[in-house]
Amino acid sequence: MTFQTVTAPDAGEHEGTVRRRPSRARGTLGVLAVVTVVAATMPFVLPESQQAVAIRVLIFALMATGWNLMSGYGGMFSFGNAAYFGVGAYADVVLLVGFDVSPWIAMLAGAALAAALAVGTGYVAFRYKVRGAYFALATFAIAEMLRLLATDTTWVNGTIGYHVPLLQEESWWKFQFEANAPEYFWIGLALVVVAFLAVFFYLRSKAGRYAVAIRDDEDAAAALGIPVMRYKLTTMALAAAITAVAGAFYAQYYMFVDPDIVLGQAQSIQAIVPAVVGGVGTLWGPVIGAVIVGPLSTVTATLLREPPEALSFLAGRGGLDVVLYAVLVIVIVLALPKGLYGTIRQLVIDRWRSR
Amino acid sequence: MSDQGLRIEEVSAGYSGLQILHGISLHVDAGELVSIVGANGAGKSTTLRLISGLLRASAGTVTYAGERIDGRRPHEIVRRGVVQVSEGRDLFGPMSVDENLRLGAWTVRSGVDELLDEVYALFPALAERRRQAAQTMSGGQQQMLAIGRALMSRPKLLMLDEPSTGLSPKLTWEVLEAVRSIRDRGVAVLLVEQNAAQALGISDRAYVLESGTIVLDGPGSALAEDARVRKAYLGL
Amino acid sequence: MSSVLTVKGLSKSFRGIAALSDVDIDVTEGTVLGIIGPNGAGKTTFFNVVAGAFKPDTGSVTLDGKDITGFPAHKVARAGMTRTFQLMRPFATLSVLENVAIAASVGGGSQRAARRRAEEVVASVGMDEWADTVAGTLHTAALKRLELARAIATRPRVLLLDEVLAGLVPTERQPVLDLLASLRDEQGLSLVFVEHIMAAVMRLSDSVVVFDRGRVIARGAPAEVVDDPAVVEAYLGTAPSTGETTDE
Amino acid sequence: MSTAEALTARWRSVPAAPAVAVGLVFVLIAAALLKSGSGTITGQAVLTGLVNGGVYSLLAMGLTLIFGVLDIVNFAHGAFLAVALFTTYQFVATTGANPYVALPIAIAALFALGALAQWALLNHTMGRPLESQLLLTLGLSLLVSNLLLLAFGGDPLSVAVAGDHGINVLGAVANQTRLVAFGGALVLAAGLYLLLGRTRLGRAIRAVAASRQGAGLVGIDVRKIYVLTFGLGTACAGAAGMLIAPFTTITPTAGDQFNILAFVVVVMGGLGNVAGALISGIIVGLVEQLGGVLLTGQSPLFGVFLVFILILVARPQGLFGARQ
Amino acid sequence: GCGGGSTGTGDSGGTIKIGTLHPLTGPFAGDGQQMENGVKLAIEDINKAGGIKALDGRKLELAGGDTQGKPDVGQSEAQRLVTEGVTALVGTYQSAVSANVAPLAERNKVPFVIDISGDDGILSHGYEYAFRMQPRNSVFGTAGAKYLQEISKAAGKPLTKVAYLHESTAFGTGVFKAFKAEAEKAGITVDPEISYDAASVSDLTTQITQVKASGAQALVVTGYYKDGVLAAKAVSTVKPTLDAVYGIANGAFDQPQFPTDAGAASAGYFDVNYHLNDKSPEATKFAQAYQAKYGQPPRTGAALAYDSVRVIAAALERSKSVDGSKLRDAITDTDLTPLTLNDGPIKFDDKGENSTALPALTQVVEAKPTVVYPAEFATAKVTYPAAPGA
Ligand SMILES: Nc1ncnc2c1ncn2[C@@H]1O[C@H](COP(=O)(O)OP(=O)(O)OP(=O)(O)O)[C@@H](O)[C@H]1O
Ligand SMILES: Nc1ncnc2c1ncn2[C@@H]1O[C@H](COP(=O)(O)OP(=O)(O)OP(=O)(O)O)[C@@H](O)[C@H]1O
Ligand SMILES: [Mg+2]
Ligand SMILES: [Mg+2]
């Protein structure tokens, strides 16, 4: 029952196709190892005043990785990742402050809780076929509802929020170090690496492959016997867990959590921006995007702290740095249709193909 | 004479760094019915997309009525009378048959009602469904609507991409009959068809496209007799 | 021989307009049933309802003695009946091999085993040279084969094929027909296929059902059906023939 | 395809949706009556809700047009609203004229701004996935509001309409200026409806919404329609900005608070559906006000989001959206 | 860890950096920029007067940070400033931002002088390096209740029932609670209590209708600028019968542009707030200098920021060192007459609160918020009752 290969009146026919090399696991993992080692030296390399920026990069990378899994690979465009981020952050502080639980355990609890939230809301949304832009806005509404709920609930301190209590000395168990200690960076880095690996192996697993297939065509996947709902929810749960870990790390580093900060729409947006800048639906995109977006606002602010001569009439009027930041974001979006990593990869593929 | 028609010279084109057409040349004179036949993936649709401005050529020229049209955008090409019925039909799904047809006459400012009557006369099945939304119609009716919509712009050159695909045998006939009668009204037609035998049967001339290169051309009836064509495309 | 798929009294309407009314169909194990009918007759809708994309308004679907009426699509597939789509629906960002491997892994088993099976299936449909090609950039003929390969990879007992030949040049049709015949003859698969290319219907079908306006208007052996005046009137037409209506 | 779809949708298939919405509003009114025990308060909440809802509709109509036709989630809409507020302010400050004289100016200025944004920026990202345009409009929003900050400073400004006073409507009061804005919403909705349904431009817009490629193939200049549509949508923000200027505190970020509610309204009404946006805006306004009476101490937005989720579950395509 | 502790001391030469953290962009940019200007003016004045004399006339230098009104940005900026070697921090306006910066200052042993941020909780964690200039929210609430009771009694129309309208976050709730406790002691019923979400509110007519229906004699309002104006407009539309509309820590009722934005109906509005001491010549001089330099009158926030720098400068003179802990000790000994109304010179208690911070009562008189109470600071007489729109 084998086809004779048809179509081909002459050779060279396959010139007209895009090929895809099976991705090599070793290569990616090797690059990851090298990047990790190089990144781990950052606390020694970066000027101290930039350490906070480096931490922000890590948090962005975690959040964007979570968002990218759900929206980029899973095709479920989320505009409400603040919900998972906030659940992670709140689980951390509530358990730590209220019950003296180690932040590490709280982190796991937060991840589990966020995953449960994702599964619950996702189930309802998919059950009722809420899709596309409607789904995006529904996730947003859920995040906003959580924010408002936290705001009005005295049990989680309402708008006052939580402080992580200061300790007299450093403690791994309590996840607290001296201000600006390199441990924060290393732990953040480790979390990013773990999240990266989680996504990497998930995508290579059966579930991950189904998730991508479902993104490409849900009905076709169902027709082949894939239980669409189950794998959409699995993907959402993992993405939510990663985002929650980002939230817990955030809480431990910034030591302050309130509803607007961790559940506000700014977090939902912050999860998206690095992924888009780096390249949606690529493994490295969110990480690269975070490295660009994280320092961007600081760079523009530094650049314009003392406005140049020509603009000195604007001195004392804030906003110029944000204007520059906005212009840069616009330029990046216009110039890099597939994000930085996506665009570069495309160029490489094109070059390789045209040879 | 030929500068009244379409002339493609040494055109190459492709998708994001991937070349599909390798310097093809062809022409369609006024009032001619010309077909392009070729294997799946040979680049037939790509050729039509290129002419109608949906795709840009990376090299070569396309002229119509003596004027360069490559690099122009689709609506500018439509205004010159070169109109395509695409493979996917691209109907305005939620709109009624009537509205689809009237939109087809976008570039025509007068006599739209008469045109409409002509199209309904050509496709009575459409006349019965004036108010029906395009997306609720069956495949064949949608195909007729797509052709009808293209006719509404009083094209001078009509390009059809596989108009009979998915149609019942009965409708296939009706559509190809319609194509012939369109040509008979003086409209030039460039036709891409899987049913190469039928297509060649009604064509004045035809080209054979293989892997983005034109390998044969000649009168339709002559190609239909050509041994290579018969073997490769007619399944004989 | 026993029937593998039995459909009784199936009806489905959209916004009050009946797309299927009271359809009965019976597929004998190891045979090919051809479905023909004018455009808009309800053929695709029939597949959609039987394969679980839509729920029927009334009627029942029995596969291998098991009532699968109203099963969601993925359960129908797991029960042993897989369908293909009239408009090709590849997983556009994945390679051909990955597309098929995903289908192959659905029943269970390791990913490695799924990949091996996918390689076999891809080869069997003559696509091994395309294995690493991204599905979104394939042309019609390749997509049709991919659609078929994916369906085969799920190891179905019954295959529902919606116009697998449409859009193929005549030379491309032959090998697909050969493959379908071998699925039936060598693997004992049962096929239900919708097709407008009568030559293929005549060649492959063991029996034929004709739909019109959501109803079955004729059924029987291929040769009987095409002579039925109602079928000629509704479907085949009596247009002046140049002798090339049915290729080959 | 939604604008065209929405407008072409057969209404007889939809009556359940408005019925549910109206029912919901009545339940809320009854509950508010019980809770407050006062007809005056409930009456006031209903009137305020209606009138505020009109404001949400004003903004949502422009958004829904852009969303429905161009598939752009326009985050800069709020910033554009702020531009309209400042345009009005600047006009009044320099001429001393009645703010309503600024209406045509605000509309024209914002039309030009929107058209420019689409022509210079967004046209280059059409056909890319949702998040590209989203990020672009996000950047645009930051850019616009901070340019306003640079130009006008962050201090709140206001424009006053001479002799604005409360008007008694069946025992409840609403300011003249707010009633005018409500009227403006109705007029705008009617205008857009006629424009889309009855004019050549409207047909072109609906055609582009239904099929971009198809529109190009019948000779419509798709990019021009994009520019006009975005301009029109933004001009709606221009009208909205002028109409709400008399009762809003004018700051560079004044539009942000409406952004999110406007999106909720857009989705609730069905993407691209102008009439849906009008009705949903009013529902949101009512839910917000009645919710404020019912759940004292809770943010009334909670009720709004709750209703939003319920509506999505009941009708995933929005109250008045057609099924895909 | 490494590093952290060695920063902040700086070397012996060069300028002394004062880090500022204010919302220079975002919704509160107007106030943030005013406060930033206040800091600039203070640094200029101190440098003109010869710098820090105890440290060989070393000059002060501004190291600015924009919090954008976001706590995490505020904290990153603070961290940056600290590692860039600022000697002290001044800021931040929003309580959530200050709450985020305070522990950071603590961990880095950099004194942090809070010019504005009212939330009681900020200094409740026993931080040693954080100080607050303005009266905290509960002080506002308590003083507000006291003043209201006193002026109504003095006018011969003692209150028995007031309605309270406040924004729903910790700010509004905190002030409200303190007010209620004090008011109830004085036999005043507080009912109804109505809260609203300041971020999203666009109309308060329904709420004011509730006030009208309740028959309360006065309306107390705590909130921000925009919602304050909305409340005033709603009052003028609904026309409830009230003896007074009375703001406490209200972001609008004491602002110079409030009468313009709210219209004639704003006449007679009260507000309990921090306020420039209009009777002090220094304050007048400051106001003139500010006006001359920045083309607008200063708000009290600018004066608080100005004073914050003065507090730091004076402490530097005493500590004769830029070392964080020494400077911190010196700040605890502050004894400095402020530009704002105060119950004597600034003195910090063991929590770091300015124990002499005193809210003043202003009233809109001839379209201008004017101090009317306590009498020793008043530049006009209290008008009570002051029915809105009358
Ligand atoms: N968007 C695209 N991106 C990349 N490659 C494409 C794209 N569209 C088509 N191709 C490739 O271009 C080649 C030519 O396609 P084209 O559609 O012109 O073929 P055709 O002759 O019309 O064949 P048929 O319609 O029968 O498939 C094919 O190999 C196809 O895979
Ligand atoms: N989702 C739907 N909503 C409304 N009407 C539908 C829907 N799906 C199908 N229909 C209608 O049901 C009828 C049957 O359509 P169906 O697609 O089954 O026809 P078909 O026999 O497969 O035709 P073709 O040969 O052209 O593919 C048509 O009139 C069609 O418009
Ligand atoms: Mg083609
Ligand atoms: Mg079909």
Side-chain angles (χ1 to χ4, degrees):
Chain A
M1 54 167 258
T2 301
F3 268 26
Q4 67 268 47
T5 306
V6 277
T7 313
D10 66 30
E13 51 155 307
H14 297 314
E15 186 170 16
T17 57
V18 177
R19 297 197 148 230
R20 189 185 142 99
R21 294 257 144 236
S23 58
R24 268 158 300 168
R26 290 229 187 94
T28 307
L29 294 180
V31 174
L32 179 67
V34 172
V35 169
T36 308
V37 169
V38 171
T41 63
M42 281 301 133
F44 307 120
V45 177
L46 282 178
E48 225 175 309
S49 58
Q50 299 308 318
Q51 302 285 353
V53 177
I55 299 280
R56 195 186 316 150
V57 167
L58 295 176
I59 294 175
F60 277 11
L62 271 175
M63 293 175 75
T65 300
W67 183 85
N68 185 46
L69 174 60
M70 178 167 170
S71 309
Y73 285 113
M76 298 165 279
F77 192 98
S78 165
F79 195 51
N81 269 23
Y84 314 130
F85 185 83
V87 164
Y90 264 98
D92 181 83
V93 289
V94 169
L95 291 176
L96 174 67
V97 177
F99 304 91
D100 202 30
V101 174
S102 163
W104 298 106
I105 295 168
M107 190 181 266
L108 293 179
L113 206 61
L117 174 71
V119 169
T121 54
Y123 179 80
V124 174
F126 301 139
R127 165 90 178 69
Y128 292 100
K129 301 210 163 35
V130 178
R131 287 183 193 174
Y134 293 98
F135 178 78
L137 266 288
T139 57
F140 172 79
I142 286 162
E144 278 295 280
M145 281 172 69
L146 274 186
R147 179 180 70 81
L148 296 168
L149 210 61
T151 303
D152 292 329
T153 309
T154 42
W155 184 74
V156 292
N157 281 359
T159 53
I160 298 168
Y162 285 90
H163 284 268
V164 172
L166 283 180
L167 301 178
Q168 291 311 308
E169 45 201 48
E170 302 200 341
S171 158
W172 271 90
W173 179 239
K174 280 292 167 68
F175 198 154
Q176 194 171 116
F177 311 93
E178 235 175 79
N180 238 1
E183 279 88 343
Y184 283 114
F185 183 86
W186 289 327
I187 291 173
L189 182 64
L191 292 175
V192 172
V193 170
V194 169
F196 185 97
L197 289 174
V199 173
F200 178 80
F201 285 112
Y202 180 69
L203 290 175
R204 300 179 71 80
S205 76
K206 206 188 231 182
R209 294 192 188 275
Y210 287 169
V212 173
I214 290 167
R215 170 196 68 186
D216 280 1
D217 196 322
E218 197 171 315
D219 295 336
L224 295 175
I226 297 173
V228 169
M229 170 76 88
R230 184 190 309 162
Y231 290 104
K232 280 177 122 174
L233 294 183
T234 314
T235 310
M236 256 181 101
L238 180 57
I242 291 172
T243 311
V245 166
F249 179 67
Y250 178 102
Q252 283 304 314
Y253 180 74
Y254 287 106
M255 309 186 96
F256 178 62
V257 165
D258 85 11
D260 281 348
I261 302 173
V262 296
L263 287 162
Q265 55 161 309
Q267 298 296 356
S268 297
I269 292 174
Q270 261 162 25
I272 303 176
V273 176
V276 176
V277 167
V280 175
T282 64
L283 266 172
W284 289 102
V287 177
I288 291 173
V291 172
I292 298 172
V293 177
L296 197 57
S297 62
T298 314
V299 168
T300 56
T302 319
L303 225 57
L304 295 171
R305 194 151 289 128
E306 303 294 322
E309 204 62 31
L311 298 171
S312 56
F313 66 95
L314 294 169
R317 294 191 145 174
L320 198 57
D321 55 336
V322 186
V323 167
L324 183 62
Y325 171 83
V327 169
L328 287 177
V329 168
I330 291 173
V331 168
I332 289 174
V333 176
L334 286 180
L336 305 171
K338 297 183 164 186
L340 184 65
Y341 180 72
T343 304
I344 290 174
R345 200 177 61 168
Q346 184 70 49
L347 286 177
V348 171
I349 290 175
D350 283 356
R351 160 122 356 140
W352 179 77
R353 215 199 278 149
S354 66
R355 266 194 277 138
Chain B
M1 175 66 188
S2 74
D3 67 4
Q4 282 303 299
L6 175 81
R7 189 161 283 280
I8 298 182
E9 273 165 69
E10 293 296 321
V11 163
S12 301
Y15 303 93
S16 79
L18 183 114
Q19 202 179 356
I20 302 292
L21 298 180
H22 308 275
I24 64 164
S25 301
L26 60 82
H27 65 99
V28 182
D29 292 335
E32 257 190 322
L33 200 173
V34 177
S35 319
I36 305 178
V37 296
N40 292 114
K44 307 181 294 291
S45 301
T46 304
T47 307
L48 296 197
R49 289 169 59 83
L50 178 98
I51 299 168
S52 62
L54 294 173
L55 191 74
R56 294 210 167 188
S58 54
T61 60
V62 182
T63 53
Y64 183 74
E67 199 188 347
R68 284 278 292 265
I69 58 167
D70 51 298
R72 301 253 164 214
R73 308 223 330 265
H75 69 275
E76 297 174 302
I77 290 169
V78 172
R79 280 178 198 162
R80 285 171 172 74
V82 179
V83 181
Q84 185 193 2
V85 177
S86 61
E87 221 169 353
R89 297 178 192 136
D90 294 317
L91 293 173
F92 306 119
M95 297 180 164
S96 68
V97 169
D98 219 65
E99 272 189 297
N100 268 276
L101 290 176
R102 282 179 187 279
L103 277 163
W106 184 253
T107 55
V108 181
R109 299 235 169 201
S110 61
V112 175
D113 287 335
E114 291 79 67
L115 267 171
L116 203 59
D117 291 340
E118 279 179 41
V119 169
Y120 282 138
L122 190 61
F123 298 119
L126 294 183
E128 292 165 21
R129 296 178 161 76
R130 282 167 181 258
R131 304 250 153 268
Q132 193 172 333
Q135 67 196 11
T136 65
M137 302 210 304
S138 85
Q141 292 152 353
Q142 288 193 14
Q143 193 65 55
M144 290 181 216
L145 180 55
I147 298 170
R149 190 181 72 179
L151 288 175
M152 287 297 289
S153 64
R154 291 190 207 282
K156 299 198 198 97
L157 170 60
L158 181 65
M159 302 189 286
L160 300 164
D161 199 347
E162 303 192 9
S164 78
T165 297
L167 297 193
S168 69
K170 186 179 170 188
L171 275 173
T172 303
W173 279 116
E174 291 175 12
V175 165
L176 289 179
E177 274 308 303
V179 170
R180 200 176 351 213
S181 79
I182 289 163
R183 191 268 318 269
D184 292 345
R185 293 171 199 203
V187 177
V189 176
L190 181 56
L191 176 68
V192 169
E193 253 301 328
Q194 296 308 347
N195 291 320
Q198 286 161 301
L200 293 176
I202 61 169
S203 301
D204 299 320
R205 285 191 304 111
Y207 294 88
V208 177
L209 195 61
E210 272 177 16
S211 300
T213 314
I214 291 187
V215 293
L216 262 183
D217 69 278
S221 49
L223 284 186
E225 300 303 316
D226 185 282
R228 281 163 62 197
V229 174
R230 290 177 74 83
K231 182 165 184 306
Y233 304 110
L234 304 184
L236 300 173
Chain C
M1 280 228 255
S2 62
S3 59
V4 61
L5 175 68
T6 310
V7 174
K8 281 221 167 69
L10 203 66
S11 300
K12 175 76 187 172
S13 47
F14 298 104
R15 291 179 184 169
I17 299 164
L20 288 177
S21 7
D22 200 19
V23 172
D24 294 332
I25 274 181
D26 201 72
V27 182
T28 308
E29 179 142 27
T31 66
V32 174
L33 173 70
I35 300 184
I36 59 174
N39 298 104
K43 304 180 295 293
T44 299
T45 306
F46 175 73
F47 273 13
N48 279 335
V49 174
V50 169
F54 298 147
K55 284 207 159 63
D57 297 339
T58 63
S60 70
V61 182
T62 313
L63 180 68
D64 244 352
K66 184 177 175 193
D67 183 8
I68 60 161
T69 315
F71 269 33
H74 70 273
K75 289 202 176 148
V76 173
R78 292 192 167 214
M81 181 158 69
T82 307
R83 59 94 56 101
T84 66
F85 291 92
Q86 178 170 1
L87 297 169
M88 296 77 67
R89 304 182 75 159
F91 303 131
T93 63
L94 303 179
S95 73
V96 166
L97 193 65
E98 286 168 324
N99 263 273
V100 180
I102 281 170
S105 71
V106 167
S110 74
Q111 281 206 74
R112 183 166 302 185
R115 214 172 169 84
R116 263 204 306 278
R117 169 150 175 84
E119 277 162 9
E120 274 167 39
V121 173
V122 165
S124 77
V125 299
M127 288 191 79
D128 30 9
E129 285 207 55
W130 312 70
D132 290 336
T133 302
V134 175
T137 64
L138 293 173
H139 60 70
T140 317
L143 283 173
K144 291 279 180 188
R145 290 190 189 191
L146 172 59
E147 191 84 28
L148 199 55
R150 266 194 333 204
I152 295 170
T154 62
R155 303 176 195 270
R157 307 246 299 116
V158 179
L159 261 181
L160 305 177
L161 307 168
D162 200 355
E163 302 200 27
V164 271
L165 299 178
L168 298 189
V169 295
T171 40
E172 288 272 16
R173 293 172 191 159
Q174 192 58 46
V176 176
L177 283 174
D178 291 344
L179 175 75
L180 294 181
S182 77
L183 288 175
R184 171 188 57 191
D185 299 340
E186 290 164 27
Q187 308 197 353
L189 269 177
S190 314
L191 308 181
V192 183
F193 84 122
V194 168
E195 198 50 76
H196 287 304
I197 295 167
M198 284 309 291
V201 176
M202 302 298 288
R203 210 199 104 186
L204 194 63
S205 313
D206 297 305
S207 59
V208 173
V209 168
V210 188
F211 277 39
D212 190 21
R213 290 162 214 250
R215 294 180 179 279
V216 174
I217 57 164
R219 62 176 94 220
E224 296 164 20
V225 166
V226 290
D227 284 339
D228 185 328
V231 176
V232 173
E233 160 70 21
Y235 183 63
L236 297 169
T238 46
S241 169
T242 58
E244 287 160 326
T245 328
T246 53
D247 315 283
E248 290 183 69
Chain D
M1 67 162 55
S2 18
T3 300
E5 193 149 335
L7 286 164
T8 324
R10 269 173 286 170
W11 283 85
R12 68 185 157 78
S13 62
V14 202
V20 168
V22 169
L24 183 85
V25 166
F26 273 110
V27 169
L28 280 177
I29 292 176
L33 262 175
L34 276 177
K35 173 86 200 286
S36 70
S38 153
T40 327
I41 294 175
T42 311
Q44 184 62 49
V46 169
L47 180 63
T48 311
L50 275 174
V51 172
N52 272 5
V55 172
Y56 302 145
S57 310
L58 264 176
L59 267 159
M61 279 185 260
L63 263 185
T64 206
L65 192 64
I66 292 172
F67 208 165
V69 177
L70 292 94
D71 280 342
I72 291 177
V73 180
N74 178 21
F75 261 90
H77 208 66
F80 288 149
L81 179 79
V83 174
L85 289 172
F86 279 101
T87 307
T88 309
Y89 169 81
Q90 194 58 45
F91 174 81
V92 173
T94 38
T95 66
N98 185 303
Y100 289 106
V101 182
L103 187 59
I105 299 170
I107 291 176
L110 271 285
F111 178 87
L113 181 64
L116 180 73
Q118 177 68 32
W119 179 77
L121 301 176
L122 288 156
N123 256 358
H124 303 283
T125 67
M126 298 310 289
R128 292 207 219 150
L130 189 66
E131 61 268 12
S132 271
Q133 292 107 4
L134 186 131
L135 194 56
L136 196 66
T137 59
L138 221 55
L140 199 58
S141 148
L142 271 182
L143 179 67
V144 169
S145 56
N146 282 281
L147 285 175
L148 287 174
L149 180 66
L150 281 172
F152 292 93
D155 287 327
L157 304 168
S158 62
V159 296
V161 172
D164 181 22
H165 57 88
I167 290 183
N168 209 308
V169 185
L170 304 172
V173 281
N175 271 61
Q176 223 177 6
T177 46
R178 286 181 185 267
L179 289 171
V180 171
F182 182 70
L186 297 182
V187 171
L188 194 66
L192 282 179
Y193 199 83
L194 290 178
L195 177 100
L196 287 172
R198 296 288 158 79
T199 66
R200 192 171 150 83
L201 174 63
R203 274 197 294 143
I205 289 176
R206 287 189 294 131
V208 170
S211 166
R212 288 171 193 185
Q213 190 151 310
L217 290 176
V218 300
I220 295 171
D221 184 344
V222 176
R223 277 190 235 167
K224 189 169 107 192
I225 296 298
Y226 285 161
V227 168
L228 290 176
T229 307
F230 205 96
L232 264 179
T234 312
C236 292
M242 188 275 117
L243 289 172
I244 69 171
F247 50 87
T248 308
T249 303
I250 301 173
T251 62
T253 52
D256 295 359
Q257 84 172 88
F258 296 106
N259 236 351
I260 284 314
L261 274 184
F263 274 115
V264 167
V265 171
V266 166
V267 172
M268 219 190 240
L271 301 183
N273 191 328
V274 172
L278 178 71
I279 295 168
S280 308
I282 289 172
I283 292 175
V284 166
L286 285 170
V287 170
E288 189 186 34
Q289 288 299 319
L290 293 167
V293 175
L294 282 171
L295 311 162
T296 35
Q298 286 268 355
S299 168
L301 283 183
F302 190 81
V304 172
F305 287 121
L306 196 66
V307 168
F308 174 66
I309 301 257
L310 287 178
I311 286 182
L312 272 190
V313 165
R315 282 185 68 87
Q317 72 281 39
L319 270 180
F320 305 97
R323 274 178 199 284
Q324 282 102 345
Chain E
C2 75
S6 68
T7 55
T9 52
D11 50 19
S12 53
T15 56
I16 298 168
K17 286 189 188 165
I18 306 291
T20 62
L21 294 161
H22 290 118
L24 303 180
T25 52
F28 297 100
D31 283 295
Q33 290 175 5
Q34 276 248 353
M35 290 155 74
E36 189 83 349
N37 291 341
V39 172
K40 282 184 191 158
L41 207 56
I43 289 178
E44 238 166 68
D45 287 352
I46 290 163
N47 287 345
K48 241 185 265 165
I52 306 298
K53 300 189 186 71
L55 291 167
D56 312 324
R58 279 173 72 184
K59 300 277 195 287
L60 300 184
E61 184 193 338
L62 176 109
D66 176 9
T67 66
Q68 299 175 18
K70 298 175 193 158
D72 48 346
V73 177
Q75 188 178 332
S76 302
E77 285 288 276
Q79 184 72 59
R80 175 180 65 79
L81 293 172
V82 165
T83 48
E84 280 175 4
V86 298
T87 299
L89 290 166
V90 176
T92 69
Y93 193 70
Q94 282 112 326
S95 289
V97 183
S98 293
N100 224 355
V101 170
L104 185 132
E106 189 74 12
R107 297 209 290 169
N108 288 286
K109 305 200 186 323
V110 174
F112 171 38
V113 181
I114 299 171
D115 41 19
I116 294 187
S117 283
D119 190 53
D120 283 46
I122 301 171
L123 295 189
S124 68
H125 301 271
Y127 299 140
E128 297 193 330
Y129 285 78
F131 303 89
R132 166 156 49 194
M133 301 289 284
Q134 75 151 94
R136 59 189 183 279
N137 288 343
S138 59
V139 172
F140 277 129
T142 314
K146 225 174 94 213
Y147 294 173
L148 182 58
Q149 195 243 348
E150 285 165 10
I151 60 169
S152 62
K153 216 159 147 197
K157 300 196 79 175
L159 289 167
T160 52
K161 185 177 174 188
V162 300
Y164 205 118
L165 178 68
H166 64 86
E167 69 86 42
S168 55
T169 69
F171 164 48
T173 323
V175 175
F176 164 75
K177 282 190 178 138
F179 176 91
K180 187 173 182 193
E182 184 72 18
E184 280 174 352
K185 265 191 248 163
I188 301 173
T189 328
V190 186
D191 182 59
E193 175 208 355
I194 307 166
S195 65
Y196 59 87
D197 175 26
S200 67
V201 71
S202 61
D203 189 303
L204 286 165
T205 317
T206 308
Q207 288 80 349
I208 299 299
T209 305
Q210 278 172 274
V211 171
K212 184 180 185 179
S214 75
Q217 294 152 300
L219 167 65
V220 186
V221 187
T222 298
Y224 302 102
Y225 188 81
K226 182 191 77 181
D227 32 314
V229 173
L230 286 176
K233 288 191 173 171
V235 166
S236 85
T237 306
V238 177
K239 300 191 171 48
T241 337
L242 296 170
D243 285 349
V245 180
Y246 188 90
I248 301 182
N250 192 291
F253 297 173
D254 71 330
Q255 295 296 324
Q257 76 271 34
F258 169 66
T260 325
D261 286 0
S266 65
Y269 273 50
F270 292 99
D271 191 30
V272 176
N273 222 318
Y274 37 72
H275 202 274
L276 215 56
N277 184 352
D278 293 331
K279 285 187 166 172
S280 132
E282 286 81 15
T284 316
K285 227 181 80 194
F286 162 78
Q288 283 163 353
Y290 189 100
Q291 172 83 43
K293 186 140 194 243
Y294 299 106
Q296 54 180 176
R299 290 184 210 152
T300 312
L304 285 165
Y306 185 92
D307 277 344
S308 302
V309 179
R310 287 176 60 218
V311 164
I312 294 165
L316 283 168
E317 297 285 5
R318 285 192 298 280
S319 70
K320 302 188 176 54
S321 159
V322 292
D323 176 76
S325 60
K326 288 190 185 132
L327 180 58
R328 181 241 156 228
D329 292 342
I331 294 178
T332 52
D333 296 333
T334 296
D335 183 5
L336 186 81
T337 308
L339 301 178
T340 48
L341 288 182
N342 242 41
D343 199 7
I346 299 169
K347 288 209 159 63
F348 293 111
D349 65 14
D350 54 359
K351 278 192 162 164
E353 302 278 6
N354 175 2
S355 55
T356 61
L358 179 75
L361 181 68
T362 62
Q363 187 169 27
V364 178
V365 180
E366 288 166 2
K368 188 171 178 293
T370 314
V371 177
V372 293
Y373 199 80
E376 69 257 44
F377 301 108
T379 51
K381 277 215 169 66
V382 179
T383 311
Y384 193 97

